Amino acid sequence: MTKQERAARTREALIRSAAREFDEHGYALARLSAISTGAGVSPGALHFHFENKPAVAAAVEQEASNALRRAARLVHRQGANALQNLADTTHALARLLREDIVVRAGYRLSCSRGCRTDLNLRQEWQSCVQQRLAEAADEGLLAGGHGGQQNLVRTVVAATVGLEALCRDNPEWLAPGTVTGMWRALLPALAAPAVLADLEPAGNASVPAARAPVA
C-alpha cells in the first residue's frame, strides 16, 4: 500500500469514527480523542488530516452531501415521471439516513445550530423537491386546486423533514412502510386523477442505494 493510499484510508476511518461520535453525542459533546481512538489512530494522525473539530464536522457533512446528491442522481437516471421520481428519491434518502452513519450524522450536523458550515442539506432537499414538482407541473402531472406549487413544496418538505426529526427518537419513522404511508397520503392531493393510479407510493424497488465512498 502506498503512502497516499494509507492516508486516504486513515482519513476515511476518521470520518466514519467522527460520524459515530457525532451521531451518539452530538457536536458539542463529541471529543477528538474519542474520534482518533475509534479510528485506531493517534491524535497526531487526526490533526494531520483535520485542524480542529469544526474541520472534522465539515468533512462529515461534505461526505453526507456527496452521498445524498449521488442517490438523487441515481434515481433520476431511472427515467420515471417527476412525481414517481420524487417518491423514489425520498425512499432512497430515507434508506441512506437509516443505514449510513456518515449520511445520518452529516445531515444532523447540517441542521444543528451549534455547527454551521456553508452546507445546508435541508435547503438542498427543499431545492430538489421544488425542482421535481416544477418538472411535474411541466409534465401535466399535478392536480389543480392546491393553492400553488409553493404550497406543495412546503407540504412535501415539512412531511419529509418531520420524519427525519422524529426518527432521532424512534427509527421506525424512516422505515419503508412509514415513508410509503406518507406518500399514500400525499399523492392523492398532489397528482392529477389521470396519473394517480400509475404512481407507486412504495417507490421503485429497482432504484439502488448510494453508499458514500469516503475519500
Side-chain angles (χ1 to χ4, degrees):
M1 188 187 305
T2 67
K3 183 177 180 181
Q4 187 176 18
E5 288 171 335
R6 285 195 300 272
R9 289 195 180 187
T10 298
R11 187 177 187 276
E12 176 178 355
L14 285 165
I15 288 176
R16 294 212 174 270
S17 177
R20 289 191 295 270
E21 180 74 4
F22 290 135
D23 190 57
E24 183 174 351
H25 301 291
Y27 177 78
L29 297 180
R31 297 178 296 116
L32 291 179
S33 59
I35 292 171
S36 59
T37 298
V41 301
S42 68
L46 184 151
H47 286 289
F48 174 80
H49 289 276
F50 304 106
E51 181 180 1
N52 49 32
K53 186 161 72 170
V56 179
V60 174
E61 284 186 59
Q62 185 61 62
E63 291 298 335
S65 176
N66 292 345
L68 292 169
R69 291 172 183 173
R70 189 180 302 113
R73 287 195 301 269
L74 287 172
V75 172
H76 196 262
R77 289 174 190 165
Q78 301 297 310
N81 69 53
L83 279 181
Q84 187 64 62
N85 181 286
L86 183 55
D88 292 348
T89 301
T90 306
H91 278 281
L93 301 192
R95 181 176 177 182
L96 279 173
L97 287 166
R98 289 193 312 268
E99 298 178 359
D100 193 313
I101 187 68
V102 174
V103 172
R104 186 164 63 250
Y107 183 89
R108 292 176 181 176
L109 284 169
S110 178
C111 298
S112 170
R113 292 183 178 180
C115 177
R116 290 296 189 189
T117 67
D118 292 336
L119 282 173
N120 186 331
L121 299 186
R122 191 173 286 172
Q123 183 60 51
E124 287 190 17
W125 171 238
Q126 181 172 333
S127 298
C128 178
V129 172
Q130 191 161 3
Q131 181 178 345
R132 295 294 174 268
L133 287 177
E135 293 168 357
D138 291 341
E139 294 171 21
L141 302 175
L142 297 182
H146 46 64
Q149 197 177 119
Q150 194 56 39
N151 286 340
L152 296 182
V153 172
R154 292 191 183 106
T155 299
V156 174
V157 171
T160 50
V161 169
L163 291 185
E164 190 283 327
L166 290 165
C167 179
R168 300 181 191 192
D169 294 321
N170 182 352
E172 285 301 309
W173 283 103
L174 276 180
T178 307
V179 179
T180 298
M182 179 197 73
W183 281 111
R184 284 201 180 111
L186 288 177
L187 284 173
L190 295 175
V195 302
L196 182 59
D198 296 326
L199 298 173
E200 178 49 71
N204 184 347
S206 68
V207 174
R211 300 288 293 178
V214 182

